[in-house]
Amino acid sequence: MDHIVTLDSRQEAALQAVADKFVAVHKGDVMKALKEMIVLNGHLQDRLDAYTAPRRASR
């Protein structure tokens, strides 16, 4: 892990609420929710990488 994020109490509470809802969508299966979040994060990272990659000049 190369970047640590520090949250204040308000941000932590908001994050906890979203996490609780995400786990509820997966019928309480925390591992299933975690696996899906990892996959979703990977897809988002791929899109960000593609967006920020230097563009080749088209000729």
Side-chain angles (χ1 to χ4, degrees), residues 1-37:
M1 192 178 281
D2 59 346
H3 184 77
I4 297 174
V5 176
T6 303
L7 304 175
D8 63 31
S9 60
R10 180 187 55 80
Q11 292 169 320
E12 178 65 34
L15 180 60
Q16 183 66 48
V18 171
D20 289 341
K21 288 178 187 176
F22 195 73
V23 171
V25 165
H26 293 85
K27 298 179 175 73
D29 188 336
V30 176
M31 287 305 294
K32 186 175 179 182
L34 177 60
K35 289 174 185 177
E36 183 170 338
M37 186 55 65

